[in-house]
Amino acid sequence: MDDERRLTPTAAHRRARAITRFRTEAVVLREAWRAAALRRCPERTGGWWTPAVDSLTRAIAETRDPRPACARLGRARAAAGMGVDDTLADLTALYRQLPAGEPPAHLVRTLCDSWTAATLVPDHAAACVGALPRLGSVGQLRVVLKEIARRACRAGVPLGNRHVLLVADLAVPPPAAGSVPSPMAGPASSPMTGPVPPPEAGPATPRTECGEDQAIAEESVLRARVATRFRASFPDGEPIIRLWPGGYVVPTTASAELAHRTVVLSRGLARIGLATARLWCQDLPDDIPATQTLFRHLADFRHRTEG
């Protein structure tokens, strides 16, 4: 208010006109985007709009950095249950209304990374995980396991009797015949049964800049599709923690159903070109202090993979 009192009448009039123009441009862009998006998916008529839609169109109309608004859009689409391919198509529908015609690579990466983060750790699970800047870490896993241990203690059941850690390594080649399993691995789960399904074609990543930016965007899209497969196999909101590039862990309940979920996950990963993914179940110790050894094993395995 103080800044507005210092404006001259002419400056105040110009400011009001600029605000009106930006708002009008944002509304026109939003309505064109909405029409294009609903032509593709008419069933989303009632749930397409979110506050992130207006944030993104205003950022573009006002020539501000659209990445924060794009991140909010990715989280909103994930929370609404929209798949990553539909979310990418939605962003592409917006940029088809603009001279660029395709979203830039840095926005594709922002959208996919925010969608992936919301999918791997949903809002109700994030309450115990905490707001961490990275998609996952050993520290994040420690927080999750402490919460699980507290619940197990209240129930009077040792931690290792009820829960296990599903570990997925997507980056290493399949082990050679006769090789010894990793010393950190518990009883290994058979990753596949039957023939490997052919990779799914799926919608292509929007083509934007060439070179490194495009490669980074495609990596983000792949991570989002990996998150889709994990969430399809673990639909009850279990936190899915990415500890290193290609390394994921899922604290989950030990049950007969887990073997089936592991096979479904492995088949799903094969369909997106990750047929060499290695999955195994890691036993959890009965108390949290004893998990320090497990954390060290996971950290060492991560460093060997990254190295």
Side-chain angles (χ1 to χ4, degrees):
M1 294 296 293
D2 291 341
D3 291 341
E4 291 182 359
R5 291 195 194 99
R6 295 193 190 100
L7 294 176
T8 65
T10 301
H13 178 66
R14 287 176 179 170
R15 179 179 179 181
R17 286 181 59 187
I19 292 173
T20 301
R21 177 170 62 84
F22 286 140
R23 285 179 177 170
T24 302
E25 290 177 358
V27 169
V28 169
L29 179 58
R30 181 194 67 198
E31 292 306 308
W33 178 15
R34 181 179 184 276
L38 296 184
R39 278 196 300 271
R40 181 179 179 273
C41 296
E43 68 276 7
R44 295 194 181 275
T45 303
W48 178 81
W49 183 87
T50 74
V53 166
D54 284 346
S55 296
L56 184 53
T57 53
R58 282 199 300 268
I60 293 173
E62 297 171 13
T63 63
R64 291 186 284 108
D65 184 0
R67 282 176 293 184
C70 196
R72 287 194 292 273
L73 181 68
R75 291 191 292 271
R77 294 301 189 227
M82 184 182 289
V84 66
D85 291 325
D86 285 340
T87 301
L88 282 169
D90 190 36
L91 183 66
T92 301
L94 167 62
Y95 272 81
R96 292 279 166 83
Q97 317 309 313
L98 298 170
E102 297 285 347
H106 66 274
L107 278 193
V108 172
R109 180 184 185 185
T110 298
L111 183 77
C112 289
D113 286 350
S114 61
W115 185 96
T116 300
T119 299
L120 294 183
V121 184
D123 289 341
H124 65 275
C128 77
V129 173
L132 296 177
R134 298 172 55 195
L135 289 182
S137 66
V138 171
Q140 191 179 38
L141 176 62
R142 185 179 291 111
V143 172
V144 172
L145 290 184
K146 283 182 178 179
E147 177 64 22
I148 293 174
R150 279 194 291 268
R151 294 176 184 175
C153 182
R154 286 197 296 267
V157 179
L159 177 64
N161 286 14
R162 180 174 288 186
H163 293 84
V164 296
L165 204 63
L166 177 70
V167 185
D169 181 20
L170 315 184
V172 299
S179 63
V180 178
S182 167
M184 64 163 286
S189 299
S190 175
M192 291 291 296
T193 58
V196 176
E200 292 178 353
T205 307
R207 299 303 300 179
T208 52
E209 298 92 338
C210 296
E212 185 177 354
D213 286 343
Q214 181 64 29
I216 291 173
E218 290 177 353
E219 288 176 7
S220 293
V221 173
L222 179 60
R223 284 197 298 270
R225 289 176 177 154
V226 167
T228 300
R229 301 302 174 179
F230 271 95
R231 187 50 67 205
S233 299
F234 296 92
D236 298 328
E238 299 94 331
I240 300 163
I241 301 172
R242 178 171 172 255
L243 287 183
W244 66 86
Y248 295 79
V249 296
V250 186
T252 187
T253 304
S255 65
E257 186 184 4
L258 180 58
H260 172 70
R261 289 186 175 191
T262 303
V263 171
V264 170
L265 173 59
S266 188
R267 288 184 176 276
L269 293 171
R271 290 191 181 98
I272 57 173
L274 296 172
T276 61
R278 180 170 170 239
L279 311 176
W280 68 91
C281 286
Q282 174 68 47
D283 292 332
L284 289 176
D286 290 336
D287 55 79
I288 281 299
T291 61
Q292 298 302 321
T293 302
L294 170 62
F295 295 141
R296 284 195 294 271
H297 279 314
L298 290 171
D300 291 344
F301 190 77
R302 176 191 61 192
H303 294 323
R304 288 198 301 271
T305 304
E306 290 175 346

